[in-house]
Amino acid sequence: MFHVTPLWFTGSVAEESTDLIGELAAAIEELVAAGPEAVSDGTAVAALVRQSQRLAAVVSAAATAMETSGEWRTDGACSAASWLSSRCRLPRSEASRMFRLGRSMGEMPVSVQAWLDGEIGPAHVGILASLVTGRTAESFARDEAMLVEHARRLSFHGFCQAAGYWEQLADPDGCEGAAERRRTR
């Protein structure tokens, strides 16, 4: 599996990341000071959502790189997700999802690029990642661009339906088992 260390995470990480995060914090502070009225038109809201999705991709990749480094162990945490949950007061499920999505980035290059571009969000990436199994990896690699295009163009509900249809075609036996597990829950 490929370790997520994007190009923008190389070099003097501590100094560069502090500067970058400081610039991001300053930009967010400007938005907060301007108030919601300054960015309440539809175009601005859509742009904010797109940038939020891009930031979520960066955060997932960064969290996964931190997980790989083992830095979280110095605080005595049992896992990186536990560390993040405690440190940032996040629900454990949210922290775990962040790491799960970050780890899946190595298997889904087209999806990752669309996420980094803000064209799809964490919910889309979660659905796409769920489609990659031992039995579907080859089919997913072949069809990833098509699936991402559906994520870009369809409503979220429509995308979920398309992903479900793809899953039924790619792994009919596994799909039936997953449906049975959902019914049982």
Side-chain angles (χ1 to χ4, degrees), residues 11-183:
S12 177
V13 175
E15 292 173 24
E16 290 175 27
S17 67
T18 301
D19 291 346
L20 291 171
I21 294 169
E23 290 174 26
L24 175 62
I28 292 172
E29 191 58 41
E30 287 181 40
L31 284 169
V32 169
E37 301 81 24
V39 289
S40 62
D41 64 279
T43 301
V45 171
L48 287 170
V49 168
R50 184 178 183 124
Q51 296 308 314
S52 174
Q53 291 177 159
R54 295 181 74 204
L55 183 57
V58 172
V59 171
S60 284
T64 303
M66 186 270 304
E67 177 185 39
T68 302
S69 77
E71 177 184 338
W72 52 272
R73 288 186 179 103
T74 62
D75 288 343
C78 299
S79 69
S82 293
W83 180 89
L84 187 63
S85 176
S86 174
R87 189 72 169 280
C88 298
R89 293 166 305 286
L90 294 173
R92 174 67 194 258
S93 60
E94 186 177 332
S96 295
R97 182 172 189 253
M98 192 180 305
F99 288 108
R100 191 171 47 256
L101 293 178
R103 286 188 296 269
S104 73
M105 291 172 113
E107 302 166 346
M108 307 184 325
V110 178
S111 305
V112 170
Q113 191 58 58
W115 192 14
L116 287 169
D117 291 343
E119 296 173 342
I120 64 175
H124 294 98
V125 176
I127 298 292
L128 290 163
S130 75
L131 298 176
V132 183
T133 67
R135 296 192 304 216
T136 63
E138 190 176 313
S139 296
F140 184 85
R142 179 195 67 220
D143 296 338
E144 182 183 11
M146 175 198 62
L147 290 163
V148 169
E149 190 60 28
H150 288 323
R152 284 183 179 119
R153 304 288 175 232
L154 298 175
S155 68
F156 188 75
H157 177 73
F159 165 67
C160 289
Q161 286 181 318
Y165 296 146
W166 181 89
E167 186 178 29
Q168 288 175 351
L169 292 171
D171 186 14
D173 294 335
C175 188
E176 287 178 12
E180 183 59 36
R181 286 189 296 279
R182 282 193 298 275
R183 277 192 295 276

